[in-house]
């Protein structure tokens, strides 16, 4: 099975940019659909973005146009580039992996689609 380790989080100012990473190990990441989720204090975990093995991409409306998900299967690493950060982006960001296939890209936004999860990296946006 695959192991996931996030990195790159930190404290930034409103409007700043940040790139977080998710390093995978155990099995080649090319076998997995990948996603980023986030969880703010007192709130449910929510989908941010997802990318399939074929490169199809989903973004949540809250981040569309500001965030970019990408994957480098040669490096077994998933990325999330976050621009124009807002205080409401403050959360713990988790990466997730799935071997399941869904015809509808929207299905890759569901928490229950993912079996493997990382521990998360904290992103704090200060105003």
């Amino acid at each position: 099975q695959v192991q996931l380790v996030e990195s790159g989080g930190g404290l930034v100012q409103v409007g700043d940019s940040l790139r977080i990473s998710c390093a995978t190990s155990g099995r080649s990441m090319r076998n997995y659909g990948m996603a980023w989720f986030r969880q703010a204090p007192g709130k449910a975990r929510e989908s941010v973005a997802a990318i399939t093995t074929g490169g199809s991409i989903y973004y949540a409306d809250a981040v569309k146009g500001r965030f970019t998900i990408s994957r480098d299967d040669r490096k077994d690493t998933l990325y999330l580039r976050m621009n124009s950060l807002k205080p409401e982006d403050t959360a713990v960001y988790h990466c997730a992996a799935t071997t399941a296939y869904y015809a509808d890209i929207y299905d890759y936004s569901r928490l229950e689609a993912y079996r493997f999860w990382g521990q998360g990296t904290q992103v704090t946006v200060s105003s």
Side-chain angles (χ1 to χ4, degrees), residues 31-106:
N31 297 302
Y32 295 87
M34 303 294 297
W36 288 100
F37 289 79
R38 66 186 181 186
Q39 188 164 19
K43 295 188 177 181
R45 191 169 296 189
E46 64 179 6
S47 175
V48 175
I51 184 167
T52 69
T53 56
S56 296
I57 290 175
Y58 162 88
Y59 291 108
D61 288 343
V63 306
K64 202 172 292 184
R66 299 188 298 122
F67 289 12
T68 302
I69 188 172
S70 62
R71 61 189 297 159
D72 187 337
D73 289 341
R74 297 169 301 172
K75 296 183 178 180
D76 287 326
T77 303
L78 177 73
Y79 302 100
L80 185 68
R81 174 71 178 184
M82 302 180 288
N83 295 329
S84 303
L85 282 160
K86 305 174 181 180
E88 51 264 43
D89 295 318
T90 295
V92 176
Y93 284 72
H94 298 269
C95 65
T98 182
T99 57
Y101 171 77
Y102 302 100
D104 188 340
I105 186 64
Y106 179 78

Side-chain angles (χ1 to χ4, degrees), residues 111-127:
L111 271 73
E112 55 268 27
Y114 296 88
R115 178 182 176 188
F116 304 103
W117 292 85
Q119 292 299 307
T121 186
Q122 176 72 46
V123 173
T124 303
V125 185
S126 173
S127 56

